[in-house]
Amino acid sequence: MEIDTDEKEVSLLDLLLVVAENLKLLILGPVVFGLLALAIGYALPQSFTSQAILALPTPTPTPTPTPTQAPTQTPTQAAAMMISPVVLDPVIGSLKLSAGRPIEVARMGLAKQIKAVVGKDGLLRLDVTANSPLEAQVLANAVIDTWLKSTVPGEQDRVDLEKRLAYAKVALASTSRLLERLMAEGAANLNQPLTRGEAGTSLMAVGELQSRYFSEVLTIPRTLQGLSGDVVKQPPTLPTEPVAPKKSLIAVLAALASGFALLLWVFIRRAWKNAAQDPQAAEKQVRLRAAVGLKGSPPN
């Protein structure tokens, strides 16, 4: 037990001795590498992120949905559309972002700058990154405007919706007149108990039909126009601080990594020198140097 304790103490003293002998290197090395990384961080192009928040309307459930009415996009669908070619290609064309590159390459590059995430609160958060604050804000506005235009129905859907709207207006007028007549007849026949229930049932059915047509008369015009800018609860911001590169973090990581590498190199060098004193280990060193193409004798 005393021998093991002595060996551990000697090993620990050896480690401390190695660190003490190379203390200047282990201190100045990380400092130099950290300052160098900090300088590189200042030289790298900066990135700024413009943020926007959108709240999409929740579709109102109806007992009998209209088959020709275009469904409202969910926040998840809207987030997917914002990084799809339907939105990206017009943005690239309007802002001239291709710079002579193929449209596929420009589209992939622009998609990396856009991040659309739906939170647990149902809000869609859009982050757009660019090399300058104004560029990030302009790009975010272009993405939102192009996406809003994409919510406008296509030509065939527009024709179907317009037909449905015309029919709903005529049907609403007819059901309103019918409802008024039934209400008048019900008031006139109020003293007839045998027909009171039938009249009540008819009034309820016609009233539900009137509500359905009235809802279509209100919602179809909004569907024809697509989503409006009212869904943008927070317009794209003008960032003031860069999000990358994080110069201080780069410098700290570079200093830590270089310090660890230097410490490892110091121990390996000392172990190599110690191994050279052992004949068997020295022979292995010679063979190792020969295998990697190094000439000369191992360092003493």
Side-chain angles (χ1 to χ4, degrees), residues 68-87:
T68 56
Q69 187 171 349
T72 303
Q73 288 186 11
T74 64
T76 303
Q77 292 172 338
M81 286 293 296
M82 288 182 179
I83 56 174
S84 69
V86 176
V87 174

Side-chain angles (χ1 to χ4, degrees), residues 23 32 36 80 183 188 204 246 289:
L23 190 60
V32 171
L36 181 61
M183 292 177 65
M204 184 178 297
K246 298 181 179 180
R289 294 170 65 88

Side-chain angles (χ1 to χ4, degrees), residues 173-212:
S174 299
T175 53
S176 297
R177 290 193 298 267
L178 178 59
L179 185 61
E180 292 176 358
R181 184 170 61 83
L182 289 175
M183 292 177 65
E185 292 178 356
N189 300 327
L190 190 59
N191 296 325
Q192 299 180 6
L194 295 177
T195 60
R196 192 183 306 167
E198 296 177 0
T201 303
S202 300
L203 285 172
M204 184 178 297
V206 175
E208 291 179 355
L209 196 60
Q210 183 192 38
S211 298
R212 172 187 172 185

Side-chain angles (χ1 to χ4, degrees), residues 97-102:
L97 302 177
S98 60
R101 298 175 298 173

